Amino acid sequence: MNHAVAFDPAELRRRLGELHREQPLLDPAAPAMRIGIADAEGELLHVVETSSLSQAVKVFELLGDLGLEPCKGRHRSPDGRRLTRLYSPARD
């Protein structure tokens, strides 16, 4: 039986806030990467948007550290924009 592993949303917000303060300004000439974060039911909770590859890698590492895993397939935000990657709680 697969169950989602719980993660701490408050810790996620805190650590994303720290990364956001370090994030370089979005480069309007560069394509934006959108990293979605979903709950165990697949409901989109947050989207991190960056034009910095190094910042995207930091977000990927943070999400992995918190027990979130990339989802397979293509995903879109509610406004129709394509997500580069969607993460949700890992399954045990």
Side-chain angles (χ1 to χ4, degrees), residues 4 10 15 17 30 35 41 45-46 64-65 70 75 84:
R15 294 193 47 197
I35 305 162
E41 288 77 41
L45 302 174
H46 186 73
D65 289 348
H75 304 276
T84 304

Side-chain angles (χ1 to χ4, degrees), residues 5-37:
V5 175
F7 72 98
D8 182 359
E11 177 70 4
L12 173 64
R13 281 191 301 277
R14 183 186 71 73
R15 294 193 47 197
L16 283 174
E18 290 172 0
L19 283 178
H20 181 71
R21 285 187 290 279
E22 299 170 6
Q23 178 176 339
L25 294 175
L26 284 173
D27 178 355
M33 291 172 271
R34 293 177 197 88
I35 305 162
I37 303 164

